[in-house]
Structure formats: structure tokens, C-alpha cells
Amino acid sequence: MTDDILAEIHSSCGMKNSIIGGMALDRASLQVSVTLITDSAYTKDDYNISYGVLRKYVPEEFSLDLQISKVTPDTAMVKRKIYTIMKEKFPALSAFLEEKDISVTKTDGGFAFSVATVRSPDGAAETIKAVEKELKKHFCGDFYGKAVKADVDLSKIKVETEEAEPEYVFAPRTFPVTNFLPIETAEAPERAVYMSDYTYASESTYVCGRIVDISERAYIKQSTGEEKPYYIFTLNDNTGNIELSYFPRKKSIDKIRALAVGESVVCKCRSENKKDRLWYTAVTIDRGRQPEDFKMEKRPSKPVPERYHCIIPQPFTDYTQSDFFTDDTIPDCLKENTFVVFDLETTGLQSTPKDGVMDGIIEIGAYKITGGAIAEKFSTFVNPLRGEPLPDKIVELTGITDEQVNSAPSYKDVMPDFVKFCDGAILVGHNVVNFDFRFVDYYAKSLGYEIEKKLIDTLFLSQKLLRLANYKLNTVAEKFGVTFNHHRAEDDALATAKIFIELIKIKKSLPELL
């Protein structure tokens, strides 16, 4: 709605760069108050035209109070804002950035600026475009930026190190192996490690589970040129899957060939890191089973970090409402609980591991709702450490570039801060159950954190409360007059937060947590 209002005002009067500074609704007096901010002198005609445009969007029973303020930012204000944007959104690129590295000059229609970075100017071009876009959200006028090479001797920079969080290492969970029958060895293991916990390199670890898949393949022995068989086993122990390579001994090959899908085996394994993933090899294979009464033991979580280290949440105030004619009474259930509404952008749609591979997170946007109001923001690009370019379809869909991702902190640095941001909160998202939470859960667990699963899905909630042609985020947002830049995590998360509040106003209670 606000975009439509501004577009009409810009095309109708002399306030070409005006923005909406605030909207408020007083139901007691049936009055809507709107503040417009402009960077140029305005006339009585400008006021009357703007009033007429706004009047079309306000129901007849409400009066309209319009205030216009002329606010022209100076170069110091713009410089401080650029510095804040760089530090919040591009921490890796701005690691050595100081305010003196930013130059701002006034132009006829706005401001021109330059940012000195340790990276090449071409490599920072996308970052500068993102900064320009952010500046237009806060100030009137046009902004034109460029990156210049910083004259910095990195070898002389002293980096202050902060005190590290206490290291926490949890022991892998295990269960007893039963019904052992030898195929290759008489060495009966007492216990096997949960496959879900076998995420480390080792020379000797036992796993036990049923065979999900077997395939026989061949390789050429280099010393003799002889073709030899080897096997790929996929095993499951009700905690996870593991894919094992196995090179059989001649004396046991017939027994290995006799194994079938559904049978249970115990394997002595070794694991090693290759190309950013673990590869597992079975050293011996024998028959063995999980206990009949096996119940998965809950894994203890790594403690929530004591402080933020990489991404520091920012206070947030929403000056516009999703629909300022909707009942603004906040139900007690919203005031009495804390919610984190979040959205992710990822390298693909693979939300569960397949053959040990999972798509990566490239952006996190989240807003914390406390006391019934959106009060805090957590936003960052994320480097998924995949060592390959983003898929073209993801770049086209999101507008996120390799430069933005490569200069961002890694998921290993971001996830602990996000775990802290979510601590004690109910998590909310649009399709959060089947997509976003799976990514967060997977990458948090990979670092030893267990996020409590308390979820509200606005997709499911919308389906129960609304009658729409479909329940995509942009369709539901349109229902409540929420405008946003779709397929960017920060914008999608804010839109979802506003939608969530409106849905709970309708329902007047929280749904059952998922």
C-alpha cells in the first residue's frame, strides 16, 4: 500500500523524493495521522495534492491529519548510515573499515559516496549497490556509490582477539550390539555409535543397522590390472543413514554377496574428510542387531553462546503497519510470549541430506517479537563454504550474488549467534516446518546445538483462517496490504512477522505448536 501511495504522490506533485516517515491510527477519535518527509521545499499545492492522494486510501469514517517535514540529511548523517549498513550487512568486507574510509559529497539530487575496501573495487560492486538500496529506505534522494582500493598494509594491522567461548565436546551416543554372528571376524563389539553422531574422522568406529541398499561395483587393481569387486552399502539405525564403501576379502566375498536389503549388520569403520565431506569405509562386516527395545536417547545440546560474536541483532521499530485499518488490539498470547520470525535463502531446495550432501544457507533474516511488537532484527548473508558458484536460478530468483556470499561470514560463525537469538523463543515462518527449520536444525546440529522445536507455520495458519486462491507468502501478504521484496530473507521475514501478528489478531489465541 505505501509503495502505491508514494508512487502516486511522486508523479503528481513536486515532492519527487518524499518518503513516509510514519503512520498512526487513533480508533478513539477515528483519525489517521501520516507524516511525509521531503528533501525539498514544498508548496501549498504539494500539500493539497498529497492530501488528496492519501484521502483516497483512508475510509470515509476516518479523518486525515497530514504533516509534511522537510528533512535534508547532511554528509555526516549519510556517512554514519553507510558505516552502519556495511558493518551490519557485510561484516567480512568491512572488517577493517573505519568511518574515515567513507567519503560523501552532496549532489543536486542526493549524495555520491565512495567506500575504501581491502578488496578490489570490482569485487565490491554488488555490495555498493546493496548499500545504495538501503540508503533510499532511510533518506530522500538518489545515491550513487563506488568502491575504491584502500591503502592498507594488512601485515601491520593488529587484530584484537576476544575471549573464546568455552569449548564443548559431546560424547557420541551409543547402543549395545545384540545377536552378533561373525562373517569376517570373531571380534564382537559391545556397542555401536549412533549414525547421526558419527560426524567425525576416526580410524575405528562401530556402527550397526539394517541394510537399506547394496550395489556391487568394480575397480581395476593397479598392480595387476585385475578387475576386483567392491560394494556400496547404505545402512540405517533409526537415528540416521550412512553410506559405506567396502572392499571384501576373497574368503568372505560369497558371504557378503549373500547379504540382502533388510538384514542387519555391524561394521567396523574408518572415516576421513575428503572434499568437505566425510567418507566412510567398512573395514569388517559381520551380522549384528540393535536391541529390540531401542529408544533413541536425546542428545545433549552445546550450551547457548554467552554472547554474540559475529552478527549482533539490531533494535527495530516498524513505522508502518501492515494494514492500519485492521483491529490493532494485541492479544495477550502475543504479549506474553517471545517469537522469532525467520526466513532463509538457500543454494537449493534440498532440505534433507542426500548422500551426505545438503544445500547451504546463503541468507538469514529474522525478527524478534516481544510484548506483541516487532522489536529486534537479525540479518546477514551467509557463506555456505561450498566452494562453487551459486546456481544461476538462485541468483536470478534472489538477486544474491557470489560476491555477497563469498564476503559473508560462514555458517559456522553465524549459526551460534542465530541459536542465541532464538533461545527461549517460539519459531515462526511461512512453510517453516517443511523447509526453513530443517536447514536451521541441520546446520545447528552439525555444530553441536539442539534448537528446541517449537514452531508456528503461517502457511498452515493462513489455510485455517483465510479463504484465498492460494497461500503463497505474497498472496497472504497482499491480503493484509503488506508490500515487500519477495525472495530476500530479511524482507520475507518482516512480511511474515506482520502477517503472523494479523493472523493471531484474527484467531485471538496461539495454534498448537508443531
Side-chain angles (χ1 to χ4, degrees), residues 9 26 35 55 99 128 149 194 232 243 252 261 266 274 295 322 327 331 336 361 416 424 445 454 467-469 499 507:
I9 290 174
D26 186 343
T35 300
R55 184 68 259 183
E99 280 199 43
I128 295 300
K149 185 68 175 178
Y194 281 27
I232 302 294
E243 185 181 273
S252 58
V261 171
V266 57
K274 292 181 181 178
K295 291 184 179 179
S322 59
D327 182 6
E336 295 167 356
I361 299 171
K445 282 180 175 175
K454 298 189 298 184
R467 294 292 179 266
L468 301 173
I499 289 168
K507 183 174 172 52

Side-chain angles (χ1 to χ4, degrees), residues 326-336 461 465 500-511:
T326 302
D327 182 6
D328 61 355
T329 303
I330 303 298
D332 289 341
C333 61
L334 276 178
K335 297 177 182 177
E336 295 167 356
L461 197 55
L465 298 178
F500 170 64
I501 291 173
E502 297 302 324
L503 289 171
I504 298 304
K505 287 179 184 178
I506 294 171
K507 183 174 172 52
K508 294 182 171 53
S509 65
L510 296 183

Side-chain angles (χ1 to χ4, degrees), residues 160-458:
E160 295 183 4
T161 57
E162 63 176 11
E163 183 181 348
E165 293 277 346
E167 186 176 357
Y168 179 83
V169 179
F170 66 86
R173 294 164 292 177
T174 64
F175 57 80
V177 176
T178 65
N179 300 94
F180 177 81
L181 289 172
I183 293 177
E184 291 194 310
T185 176
E187 183 183 354
E190 292 184 2
R191 304 186 72 83
V193 167
Y194 281 27
M195 292 180 188
S196 61
D197 290 1
Y198 192 13
T199 57
Y200 51 89
S202 76
E203 286 296 318
S204 179
T205 298
Y206 284 98
V207 295
C208 179
R210 69 184 182 278
I211 300 172
V212 175
D213 186 60
I214 313 174
S215 62
E216 181 176 325
R217 304 179 186 180
Y219 71 99
I220 303 299
K221 190 173 181 180
Q222 291 183 351
S223 60
T224 63
E226 181 184 3
E227 186 175 271
K228 306 281 283 185
Y230 76 99
Y231 293 85
I232 302 294
F233 283 84
T234 302
L235 307 181
N236 179 277
D237 70 349
N238 299 309
T239 75
N241 288 345
I242 279 186
E243 185 181 273
L244 299 164
S245 300
Y246 174 67
F247 299 85
R249 295 164 179 81
K250 188 174 182 179
K251 66 178 182 179
S252 58
I253 190 167
D254 291 338
K255 292 180 179 179
I256 298 300
R257 280 180 173 150
L259 292 172
V261 171
E263 293 187 275
S264 187
V265 294
V266 57
C267 303
K268 183 179 181 180
C269 305
R270 67 172 179 266
S271 56
E272 55 187 329
N273 282 300
K274 292 181 181 178
K275 298 180 180 179
D276 295 327
R277 62 168 286 193
L278 276 172
W279 295 78
Y280 302 90
T281 302
V283 179
T284 62
I285 296 181
D286 298 287
R287 294 183 185 275
R289 303 186 66 85
Q290 244 180 359
E292 293 290 339
D293 59 350
F294 172 76
K295 291 184 179 179
M296 188 172 177
E297 174 189 342
K298 185 176 180 181
R299 182 169 71 173
S301 175
K302 197 175 185 177
V304 174
E306 295 178 0
R307 56 191 176 277
Y308 293 103
H309 290 270
C310 182
I311 306 301
I312 299 175
Q314 301 297 315
F316 179 81
T317 301
D318 185 19
Y319 292 105
T320 63
Q321 300 178 47
S322 59
D323 179 351
F324 50 74
F325 306 115
T326 302
D327 182 6
D328 61 355
T329 303
I330 303 298
D332 289 341
C333 61
L334 276 178
K335 297 177 182 177
E336 295 167 356
N337 292 280
T338 299
F339 307 88
V340 168
V341 187
F342 74 100
D343 186 83
L344 308 177
E345 300 302 334
T346 61
T347 59
L349 302 178
Q350 186 66 44
S351 61
T352 55
K354 183 178 181 182
D355 297 330
V357 177
M358 176 89 166
D359 276 320
I361 299 171
I362 57 175
E363 186 181 23
I364 298 177
Y367 290 83
K368 184 171 288 186
I369 298 175
T370 55
I374 305 171
E376 213 171 356
K377 177 177 75 171
F378 183 104
S379 177
T380 182
F381 291 118
V382 183
N383 189 335
L385 301 179
R386 298 175 68 83
E388 56 189 39
L390 294 176
D392 291 341
K393 62 181 180 181
I394 297 299
V395 176
E396 182 180 351
L397 181 68
T398 66
I400 298 173
T401 66
D402 288 313
E403 189 276 331
Q404 290 170 319
V405 168
N406 293 338
S407 66
S410 78
Y411 76 89
K412 294 180 180 179
D413 294 320
V414 170
M415 288 309 300
D417 286 341
F418 189 60
V419 168
K420 180 172 177 62
F421 188 69
C422 295
D423 186 38
I426 297 170
L427 303 186
V428 181
H430 204 75
N431 197 27
V432 68
V433 171
N434 293 322
F435 190 77
D436 301 86
F437 182 76
R438 291 182 179 181
F439 281 92
V440 167
D441 186 52
Y442 176 85
Y443 284 104
K445 282 180 175 175
S446 75
L447 300 174
Y449 297 102
E450 293 286 330
I451 297 181
E452 187 175 2
K453 189 177 181 181
K454 298 189 298 184
L455 306 177
I456 295 176
D457 200 318
T458 53

Side-chain angles (χ1 to χ4, degrees), residues 63-77:
S63 62
L64 171 63
D65 176 42
L66 172 61
Q67 300 292 327
I68 300 180
S69 298
K70 181 179 179 294
V71 177
T72 304
D74 57 24
T75 56
M77 291 171 61

Side-chain angles (χ1 to χ4, degrees), residues 113-133:
F113 66 91
S114 65
V115 179
T117 73
V118 295
R119 298 190 64 180
S120 69
D122 289 342
E126 291 296 329
T127 300
I128 295 300
K129 289 181 181 178
V131 173
E132 291 173 349
K133 184 177 178 181

Side-chain angles (χ1 to χ4, degrees), residues 111-154:
F111 293 86
F113 66 91
S114 65
V115 179
T117 73
V118 295
R119 298 190 64 180
S120 69
D122 289 342
E126 291 296 329
T127 300
I128 295 300
K129 289 181 181 178
V131 173
E132 291 173 349
K133 184 177 178 181
E134 285 296 314
L135 288 170
K136 291 179 181 179
K137 293 180 181 179
H138 298 278
F139 302 123
C140 301
D142 294 318
F143 295 87
Y144 304 95
K146 65 178 180 179
V148 296
K149 185 68 175 178
D151 185 16
V152 176
D153 184 352
L154 295 180

